[in-house]
Amino acid sequence: MVARGRFITFEGGEGAGKSTQITRLAARLSSLGLNVRTTREPGGSPGAEIVRHVVLSGAASALGADTEAMLFAAARVDHVDSVIRPAIEAGEWVLCDRFTDSTRVYQGASGVSPALIGALERLALQDLAIDLTIIVDVPAEIGLARAAARRGDGVTDRFEGDSLEIQQRRRRGFLEIAAAEPDRCVVVDGTLDVDGVEAAIWAAVEGRFAETGALAQRPV
């Protein structure tokens, strides 16, 4: 039988540096002989990528926050069913840039009720469980400055353009989730240099999985 893979999600505000760290963790896990898949939300599957374009372009914002949340949920159903669940069942380690916590924080900050968010989450995940969530935490001011530098002359997406107050509220939301679910979530200081953040993330991964043997070196 193929051993079940693992599911690690990365969360944080704009400009937290999640994408860089996912790439680094994927390389480190791959060096151990593990099969690793990286993905993202919104998106990650052909159907979900269509929804990603609609949402991040701002085209759906006129429909209201509840409808936007439903669009995210529809994308997640396709992503989970066609990519995430099959990969984990095949023994792969799946690293996802944003997942359910981003919906709780971003749509929750937009006024979507926790009841609706919870119902949509249960619909999309069914029995899927997250093994570890890494929350890369940076002050909102720093994150926005990083996002602007990364974007350059590009167009601000649907969420980067929100006010500093909203970005600060989102940061608090992620930290509140981490405090409420310490068995799943680990907060990493995203203001460290890139190598320092990587080291903190690896310490969290080792702490979670080393004793189970899941990180044992495999032939490559």
Side-chain angles (χ1 to χ4, degrees):
M1 293 180 63
V2 176
R4 173 188 175 275
R6 299 293 188 272
F7 185 29
I8 301 176
T9 61
F10 280 68
E11 299 285 3
E14 305 303 320
K18 299 181 282 56
S19 299
T20 297
Q21 294 302 328
I22 285 175
T23 299
R24 289 189 170 211
L25 180 58
R28 198 156 189 171
L29 292 171
S30 295
S31 74
L32 297 177
L34 296 166
N35 293 320
V36 182
R37 181 186 297 255
T38 61
T39 188
R40 67 179 183 178
E41 287 206 350
S45 62
E49 287 292 329
I50 294 172
V51 178
R52 176 185 180 88
H53 172 72
V54 171
V55 172
L56 295 189
S57 68
S61 58
L63 301 176
D66 284 359
T67 298
E68 195 172 62
M70 292 176 194
L71 287 171
F72 275 118
R76 182 166 295 135
V77 168
D78 187 63
H79 188 203
V80 168
D81 289 350
S82 64
V83 175
I84 297 175
R85 192 188 310 278
I88 294 170
E89 291 175 351
E92 296 183 42
W93 286 57
V94 178
L95 312 182
C96 190
D97 187 345
R98 298 199 182 283
F99 199 60
T100 50
D101 294 315
S102 280
T103 299
R104 295 177 184 181
V105 167
Y106 278 69
Q107 277 61 66
S110 297
V112 180
S113 73
L116 177 57
I117 290 174
L120 294 173
E121 186 174 310
R122 290 189 294 274
L123 173 67
L125 270 62
Q126 302 295 324
D127 61 347
L128 178 68
I130 302 169
D131 294 294
L132 175 65
T133 295
I134 304 290
I135 297 175
V136 185
D137 177 53
V138 297
E141 301 92 325
I142 293 175
L144 287 176
R146 288 178 178 178
R150 177 188 64 206
R151 185 173 64 249
D153 295 330
V155 178
T156 302
D157 74 23
R158 160 72 177 82
F159 300 108
E160 289 176 351
D162 285 333
S163 70
L164 176 60
E165 191 278 330
I166 291 176
Q167 308 290 357
Q168 291 170 332
R169 192 187 315 162
R170 289 169 181 161
R171 182 192 184 196
R172 291 194 296 271
F174 282 121
L175 294 176
E176 287 168 2
I177 288 172
E181 300 186 52
D183 291 340
R184 172 174 67 88
C185 301
V186 173
V187 178
V188 171
D189 182 358
T191 66
L192 299 172
D193 63 34
V194 176
D195 291 341
V197 176
E198 179 185 359
I201 289 173
W202 183 245
V205 172
E206 278 194 313
R208 183 60 52 93
F209 300 113
E211 291 186 359
T212 67
L215 293 177
Q217 182 82 36
R218 289 161 171 73
V220 294

